[in-house]
Amino acid sequence: MTGSSLRAERLWLAAAAAVAVAAVVGRLHSAAAFPALQDYDAAGHVQSAHFFLQGLLPPPSSWSGFHPPLYHALAGLAWAMLPESVPVHLAMRYLSLAPGLAAIAIVWRHLARRFAPEDAAVTAVLLLSIPFVGIALVMLGNEGFCALFATLVLVRLLDLPTDDGDLVRHALVTGLWVALAALSKSTGWVVGGVAGLAYLVHARASLPRALLCGTAIALPALLLAAPFYVRVALDGGGSPMSFLSGAAHSPDLALVMSSQPPGQRELWHYLNFPASAIAWPRFDGAGMATSVPGLLHASAWADVHGHYIWITTTTLKVLPIVSVAGLFATVFACFGLLRIVQRRSPGELWALLFAGLLFAALLRYSWVLPTYSAVKASYLLPALLPIGLAFASALQALRGRFRSVARGLLLLLAAGDTAFLWFGWWI
Amino acid sequence: MRRASVLVVLILVISAGCARLPATPTETVEAYFRNLKRDPSRNLPLLTPEFHDRHGISMAAVEGWLWGDYLFMDPVEREAPIEALAPVDATRGRDAWEFAWLQVQVEGRLRKAVMFLEPEFRAPVALDDGRVEVQVKVRVEGSFGFVQVFRLKQEGAAGWRIDEIEQRGVQLRDVLIAFSAHPQASLIPAVKAASRPENQSF
């Protein structure tokens, strides 16, 4: 490496580090500044933590009672231990933020092994700053833990060992992460399925070894998490929806959900992208409730439900800018996804398969629950690694000046989104 | 790694000593008002399960706070009146009432209203049924304010918990502040009237 390229690398890393520090400080500030209980389903999550505080399991019929228990149990523990000076919602937000930041750090570490350090750093900083990631991690909820454990599973699939004994031991540890992912959120089972398939395919030459690996993946989750899911399934009458929505357990919750538009999904809702997704990226924009891509885009790059960013004359001017920038970033990431497919690295393809399944599950969920609030990009939070791989792959595919420009633009976007997500800048 | 684990355990042990329940009825009531402003979640352990049987706040009644101004529309504008939706809640357990009670405090105007509460605590009085009553004069700038009566009972390790709240002397102009001090279904019609833009004082 020449002196000038070394200097350039250091410059990129320093710039990325500066934005990363600002982003982390911004998340810590926003978690503290965001008003109490304004988070997505805050009252439900707090109530579940309160059940654990009393030494009880939340009833599946309670608002967030269908969620697996890890996050709420830890929140109950924190509630019992922390002094009154620490608000419960703040402790619960930091319990969401900490595993989320850890997940991004793990993604960065693994990207740095596969890609140029500058590309890995820029990608990781962007992951920190994408509005759907930033907002979800600032809010209390179980998404952060699921993202952490799903990421821990997926990074293990990137490089599976070839030695027989090593592979089974490797599968055992992966199985533990799968179990913790399933104990965090029901989407944890999806990463478990992908991991099981990855080991089976990898060990296909020897049936006993493949079965041993499959057992190592499934057993911890079945022992630790399955009893909870059986309880929820029994309460929900065996409906698969009972793992995904409280509406399957309670008639009044179903009633509240059913009052949201559009009330019915049609194929057309998956095929249109209204102009308001850019100009007014909120659920009440013209045609937004009937556009799944529009809602998804606005929830990824802005604040579609208006929970976090307040509407003021200033934010009205900024929202279209972040939305347009996000659209270009999405196109860039899609280019990166194509590169991953072309590269055909098995580990990366497993990560891609997981992202695809998660995306398909999101679309299916939006069909069976035809409300605008069912379309949230935050459901894709466990896919931090595949999203990171996509951006890093797209950067890697570029050469010379184009690569530098792309890095600069992504870093600029990350810095802009970091400022955009600083809670209260508009006041 | 081992040092980090020891540090985490140490922090947890020290923290465990920090959590403290209010020791007297007055401390519980003081904590209730403090929590309303800063940390509404912490009020959940201060309330008895029976408390939630009495306030009458249900999801059907508060869904307006969840999804815009639905609550503040006239019944003719709504697809169904609140009263018609209420029995849906009754099919559920006590957790539904507890959830709705917490959920209602998310509403922006209530978050503002609680900041106006200026409580003055009076000495506790023992009641015949074993409970203790604490009266609180809630001052509101520019009016007489109102009295909020707390009835508490001692429940073992849980300490003194609020079993019932009653408000006296609430005037129409203070209704949103009174509702923020004690969300209850009986005040909802007045809150609806006071929340209309032409009647809003803050």
Side-chain angles (χ1 to χ4, degrees):
Chain A
M1 191 178 272
T2 64
S4 64
S5 63
L6 196 63
R7 264 198 309 278
E9 182 189 315
R10 283 183 183 161
L11 206 63
W12 281 116
L13 293 181
V19 181
V21 168
V24 172
V25 170
R27 292 307 99 75
L28 291 170
H29 151 80
S30 301
F34 190 47
L37 301 181
Q38 300 286 322
D39 325 51
Y40 297 138
D41 295 325
H45 288 304
V46 166
Q47 190 186 30
S48 285
H50 181 232
F51 275 112
F52 280 103
L53 180 71
Q54 299 169 90
L56 303 168
L57 267 178
S61 62
S62 59
W63 190 275
S64 297
F66 69 95
H67 283 298
L70 183 67
Y71 171 74
H72 300 110
L74 289 173
L77 190 68
W79 192 338
M81 290 183 152
L82 292 172
E84 196 190 291
S85 54
V86 181
V88 170
H89 57 266
L90 182 61
M92 289 181 72
R93 283 175 191 162
Y94 284 159
L95 260 182
S96 159
L97 181 59
L101 293 180
I104 293 170
I106 292 164
V107 170
W108 169 52
R109 196 172 142 236
H110 282 267
L111 290 180
R113 287 180 189 166
R114 308 176 85 85
F115 299 92
E118 305 94 305
D119 292 344
V122 168
T123 301
V125 171
L126 184 66
L127 286 179
L128 266 175
S129 315
I130 297 175
F132 88 84
V133 178
I135 293 175
L137 294 186
V138 158
M139 290 187 176
L140 57 86
N142 50 351
E143 304 281 359
F145 271 108
C146 189
L148 172 62
F149 296 123
T151 301
L152 282 168
V153 171
L154 293 175
V155 294
R156 292 180 71 78
L157 304 185
L158 287 176
D159 298 298
L160 291 173
T162 45
D163 181 79
D164 283 12
D166 282 355
L167 188 66
V168 177
R169 273 196 295 277
H170 196 268
L172 265 171
V173 176
T174 308
L176 189 67
W177 297 136
V178 166
L180 289 170
L183 273 171
S184 305
K185 205 158 190 261
S186 55
T187 40
W189 290 107
V190 182
V191 80
V194 170
L197 190 64
Y199 281 92
L200 287 175
V201 169
H202 193 70
R204 63 188 178 280
S206 159
L207 185 64
R209 190 171 64 139
L211 288 176
L212 215 55
C213 286
T215 309
I217 292 292
L219 202 60
L222 289 175
L223 288 175
L224 291 173
F228 167 80
Y229 284 92
V230 169
R231 174 174 174 265
V232 172
L234 289 174
D235 187 84
S239 159
M241 279 302 288
S242 60
F243 303 127
L244 304 174
S245 169
H249 300 275
S250 84
D252 63 334
L253 182 48
L255 180 92
V256 171
M257 297 295 275
S258 68
S259 69
Q260 284 184 31
Q264 195 178 338
R265 281 266 172 247
E266 296 166 16
L267 193 59
W268 168 244
H269 295 180
Y270 295 85
L271 302 172
N272 76 88
F273 190 82
S276 53
I278 301 297
W280 179 249
R282 282 165 56 96
F283 70 95
D284 52 358
M288 284 293 279
T290 52
S291 168
V292 173
L295 287 168
L296 205 53
H297 167 77
S299 68
W301 295 102
D303 177 25
V304 73
H305 300 127
H307 272 253
Y308 183 85
I309 303 288
W310 298 1
I311 291 301
T312 66
T313 46
T314 320
T315 52
L316 275 177
K317 289 174 196 156
V318 173
L319 279 170
I321 299 170
V322 295
S323 187
V324 167
L327 196 62
F328 282 111
T330 303
V331 172
F332 191 63
C334 289
F335 168 60
L337 289 177
L338 287 176
R339 297 290 299 179
I340 295 174
V341 174
Q342 282 174 347
R343 215 166 30 232
R344 296 193 180 178
S345 154
E348 291 179 357
L349 288 177
W350 293 124
L352 207 59
L353 173 67
F354 170 68
L357 289 173
L358 207 59
F359 192 70
L362 188 151
L363 295 182
R364 173 75 183 139
Y365 185 59
S366 70
W367 181 268
V368 294
L369 205 66
T371 63
Y372 66 80
S373 70
V375 187
K376 277 204 283 261
S378 61
Y379 295 143
L380 300 176
L381 204 62
L384 285 171
L385 180 69
I387 296 170
L389 284 170
F391 278 110
S393 299
L395 283 172
Q396 190 186 44
L398 300 176
R399 292 282 170 266
R401 197 178 297 163
F402 290 112
R403 194 170 188 174
S404 295
V405 168
R407 277 179 193 159
L409 288 175
L410 289 185
L411 210 51
L412 193 65
L413 176 62
D417 281 337
T418 293
F420 173 67
L421 293 179
W422 183 278
F423 185 82
W425 64 266
W426 50 84
I427 297 170
Chain B
M1 189 69 186
R2 190 176 293 170
R3 277 185 193 167
S5 310
V6 170
L7 192 67
V8 167
V9 171
L10 208 63
I11 290 169
L12 289 176
V13 170
I14 293 168
S15 303
C18 297
R20 193 181 72 86
L21 286 166
T24 66
T26 307
E27 274 188 24
T28 300
V29 175
E30 284 171 350
Y32 174 87
F33 279 100
R34 235 179 5 254
N35 294 340
L36 276 182
K37 292 186 182 183
R38 192 168 168 269
D39 189 6
S41 314
R42 276 198 194 270
N43 273 340
L44 288 179
L46 300 183
L47 306 168
T48 65
E50 294 77 20
F51 171 86
H52 293 291
D53 296 338
R54 299 190 177 104
H55 56 66
I57 296 288
S58 65
M59 274 309 294
V62 301
E63 64 174 291
W65 275 292
L66 286 173
W67 318 122
D69 277 345
Y70 192 54
L71 179 70
F72 305 117
M73 293 177 189
D74 290 325
V76 285
E77 295 175 53
R78 297 162 53 98
E79 289 176 14
I82 287 173
E83 296 72 19
L85 301 177
V88 180
D89 269 321
T91 62
R92 297 189 49 203
R94 197 173 265 157
D95 64 272
W97 305 99
E98 183 187 71
F99 171 79
W101 181 86
L102 192 59
Q103 179 65 45
V104 77
Q105 301 186 40
V106 169
E107 205 276 330
R109 278 157 292 190
L110 287 196
R111 299 300 318 143
K112 281 185 200 164
V114 291
M115 299 304 165
F116 286 79
L117 298 173
E118 287 180 36
E120 276 178 24
F121 306 93
R122 291 173 188 168
V125 176
L127 300 176
D128 292 341
D129 60 4
R131 298 188 296 174
V132 165
E133 186 174 283
V134 178
Q135 291 201 7
V136 179
K137 171 79 179 169
V138 182
R139 294 202 172 278
V140 181
E141 204 181 311
S143 85
F144 294 114
F146 56 92
V147 173
Q148 187 149 316
V149 182
F150 291 81
R151 298 192 185 93
L152 304 96
K153 61 182 178 187
Q154 195 163 24
E155 294 195 327
W160 286 95
R161 298 215 282 173
I162 298 162
D163 192 42
E164 190 178 356
I165 298 178
E166 185 192 331
Q167 289 179 328
R168 294 173 189 160
V170 175
Q171 296 175 329
L172 190 61
R173 57 154 290 166
D174 299 333
V175 75
L176 199 58
I177 292 175
F179 190 80
S180 75
H182 172 42
Q184 52 187 305
S186 60
L187 281 184
I188 286 179
V191 171
K192 283 170 66 179
S195 300
R196 292 187 190 287
E198 64 272 23
N199 295 334
Q200 281 184 33
S201 53
F202 56 86

